[in-house]
Amino acid sequence: MSFMRKVIIDRFDSLTQVDGKPAINLGPVEGQNSKNIFAVLIDQEIILRLLPAK
């Protein structure tokens, strides 16, 4: 399995929205379960954001 495919399969948690933009919840930061990594699509660019877990 390619590295990229493994990252997507292992880290994918859910589809969601952040500030009204489409986003993928990539799950918690190791050792910081109160924060999740989100990949947010803004103007055709993917921005990673660290946000509080819900």
Side-chain angles (χ1 to χ4, degrees):
M1 182 181 307
S2 76
F3 173 72
M4 289 301 296
R5 182 171 292 195
K6 182 163 179 47
V7 168
I8 292 168
I9 290 170
D10 288 354
R11 293 295 309 188
F12 178 85
D13 188 56
S14 64
L15 294 174
T16 188
Q17 287 195 347
V18 172
D19 298 332
K21 305 290 185 186
I24 297 173
N25 181 348
L26 297 172
V29 175
E30 185 175 342
Q32 297 184 34
N33 291 338
S34 64
K35 296 180 182 177
N36 282 9
I37 301 168
F38 290 85
V40 185
L41 181 63
I42 300 175
D43 298 326
Q44 301 303 315
E45 189 174 350
I46 297 173
I47 306 296
L48 295 179
R49 295 192 53 195
L50 185 60
L51 299 170
K54 294 181 179 179

